[in-house]
Amino acid sequence: MAEELGFFDAMRAVITPLTSARSLFSILEQAERQGVLTALRDGATPGDVARAVKVSEDWVDAVCAALIVNGVADSDAGEIRLTPPWRALTAEDAFQPLRNIFAQSRAIDMMLSTPDATYSTIAASERSAFAHSVSPNPYSRELVARIREDPLADPWFAPMHAGGRYLELGCGIAGRMLTMLQAMPRLHAVGVELDPVLADEARDRAADLGLADRVDIVTGDATTYRGDEAFDFGFWSQWFFPTATRADALASMFANLRTGGIVRSPVFGEHERMAHEPFGEHARQYSLDRVLLASWGVPERTPDQLATELAAAGFIDISAVRTDATTSIYARRP
Ligand SMILES: C[S@@+](CC[C@H](N)C(=O)[O-])C[C@H]1O[C@@H](n2cnc3c(N)ncnc32)[C@H](O)[C@@H]1O
């Protein structure tokens, strides 16, 4: 029988790495908020940083020492500079601001640690932060250019370039839709969002991007939404829909699409990769995300399970398409 581990050895082995990572994350969050990370991006002394951001030099000294020991910054002749990964994360054109990543993590912590906190019950500001972190940034020109190429490589959605009507059930702050509308100038879209704060934000962003005449954001329940005119394309953000709403959401998608209309729904997680590396980094992160989704009442859906769900709702010609890291299920209304 293996020898029992003593309390302190066990602490060192499994608890200390977790608490240290959490403390470092909190320090980074505070350092970002105070402007310390920005000040250190291209190199500065702790004295320069303290003067620039108007905080005590003792605190900056301690923070810099923690950043150096933990691989966030390097020191060269008294000047402290962020290491390459942290420079990438704090770049002006970063995929998303570091602030969003911290805010998303705070929202996740809140939901994981509070029994009744779900996506719909956390504070609106936390929900918005979370929505930003899972949504493409429609203000990114690079992303708009990439999305313009996407349907060309994707026979299901390629006809969108010629125009048509696109429906998104659960559009959140509409990052995806607003990016697509810029990439496809003949497309018209309707997004349905249950949360009024997110729907308002989506509407404001549509106006800000000059897209208000081609997009309608409906504040309401996707399960009962019925448009006045049929849609050619549909998108279902399925991993935000709890079990009790799924059949009705799909019935709504079916009712709103024209005959021959296409629906796309993304699968959460890379299931093929996890099958090969069941204890790999991706599988570990996925298992934690699953706890969050389960707390919202959202069931796990592998590509096969999602395809079965779409078939049960009456869709045909169902297939799984993999692009980059994600798999989506496509299907047609008969
Ligand atoms: C985060 S969004 C998806 C992100 C979006 N694709 C984007 O690019 O911004 C998913 C949304 O579905 C919404 N949702 C969940 N159930 C819904 C329902 N029954 N009716 C309308 N929206 C719903 C959630 O409030 C959430 O905002």
Side-chain angles (χ1 to χ4, degrees), residues 2-334:
E3 209 178 302
E4 287 294 325
L5 207 60
F7 176 84
F8 292 104
D9 286 338
M11 278 290 284
R12 252 195 313 276
V14 295
I15 295 289
T16 308
L18 296 177
T19 53
S20 297
R22 185 181 237 179
S23 296
L24 178 61
F25 202 78
S26 300
I27 291 166
L28 284 164
E29 185 173 0
Q30 176 77 326
E32 191 282 329
R33 200 177 296 140
Q34 301 275 8
V36 173
L37 294 187
T38 308
L40 290 177
R41 205 168 172 272
D42 295 318
T45 66
D48 292 340
V49 175
R51 277 184 295 282
V53 305
K54 299 190 175 50
V55 287
S56 101
E57 192 168 337
D58 284 348
W59 180 75
V60 175
D61 261 337
V63 167
C64 286
L67 299 184
I68 293 166
V69 173
N70 288 283
V72 178
D74 285 325
S75 169
D76 184 13
E79 203 172 77
I80 321 289
R81 189 172 192 264
L82 296 187
T83 51
W86 290 95
R87 286 175 51 73
L89 289 166
T90 50
E92 226 164 78
D93 61 348
F95 182 74
Q96 60 170 306
L98 202 48
R99 202 170 321 119
N100 281 7
I101 295 168
F102 289 127
Q104 181 204 27
S105 172
R106 244 191 343 265
I108 291 175
D109 277 353
M110 169 82 70
M111 290 186 275
L112 288 178
S113 59
T114 319
D116 296 329
T118 69
Y119 193 62
S120 55
T121 63
I122 55 172
S125 58
E126 309 262 358
R127 196 160 41 250
S128 168
F130 190 93
H132 276 272
S133 71
V134 296
S135 178
N137 176 6
Y139 291 90
S140 158
R141 280 162 190 242
E142 190 195 316
L143 194 60
V144 171
R146 211 167 69 216
I147 296 262
R148 187 173 292 128
E149 302 302 318
D150 248 14
L152 295 175
D154 164 1
W156 291 87
F157 270 11
M160 263 184 201
H161 275 282
R165 284 170 47 78
Y166 171 89
L167 170 67
E168 187 161 327
L169 295 184
C171 71
I173 53 172
R176 166 183 301 281
M177 253 173 45
L178 299 176
T179 310
M180 288 174 66
L181 286 165
Q182 292 175 83
M184 284 164 280
R186 296 199 199 115
L187 193 66
H188 285 73
V190 172
V192 184
E193 173 53 50
L194 200 54
D195 185 288
V197 176
L198 298 184
D200 281 349
E201 196 170 341
R203 233 171 263 122
D204 289 347
R205 299 203 313 166
D208 192 41
L209 287 162
L211 297 167
D213 58 336
R214 286 197 288 130
V215 61
D216 187 14
I217 305 291
V218 176
T219 307
D221 191 339
T223 63
T224 53
Y225 172 75
R226 296 294 181 270
D228 298 335
E229 249 185 89
F231 291 87
D232 306 288
F233 310 98
F235 187 94
W236 183 37
S237 292
Q238 63 86 16
W239 55 270
F240 275 80
F241 282 69
T243 302
T245 67
R246 298 176 72 88
D248 288 342
L250 278 173
S252 167
M253 182 60 85
F254 193 95
N256 281 299
L257 285 180
R258 66 165 166 79
T259 296
I262 303 294
V263 59
R264 173 181 177 182
S265 189
V267 175
F268 184 69
E270 295 178 54
H271 292 266
E272 245 176 65
R273 183 166 161 194
M274 289 188 285
H276 285 112
E277 300 165 18
F279 295 95
E281 196 184 323
H282 185 78
R284 291 206 303 275
Q285 183 60 51
Y286 177 83
S287 72
L288 303 177
D289 292 339
R290 277 292 313 130
V291 176
L292 182 68
L293 297 192
S295 75
W296 302 349
V298 175
E300 179 171 34
R301 286 290 179 262
T302 62
D304 283 349
Q305 288 170 326
L306 187 53
T308 303
E309 205 173 8
L310 281 152
F315 289 97
I316 58 168
D317 295 343
I318 298 171
S319 74
V321 177
R322 205 191 145 124
T323 43
D324 296 336
T326 58
T327 299
S328 288
I329 303 298
Y330 287 79
R332 192 184 305 281
R333 179 186 158 156

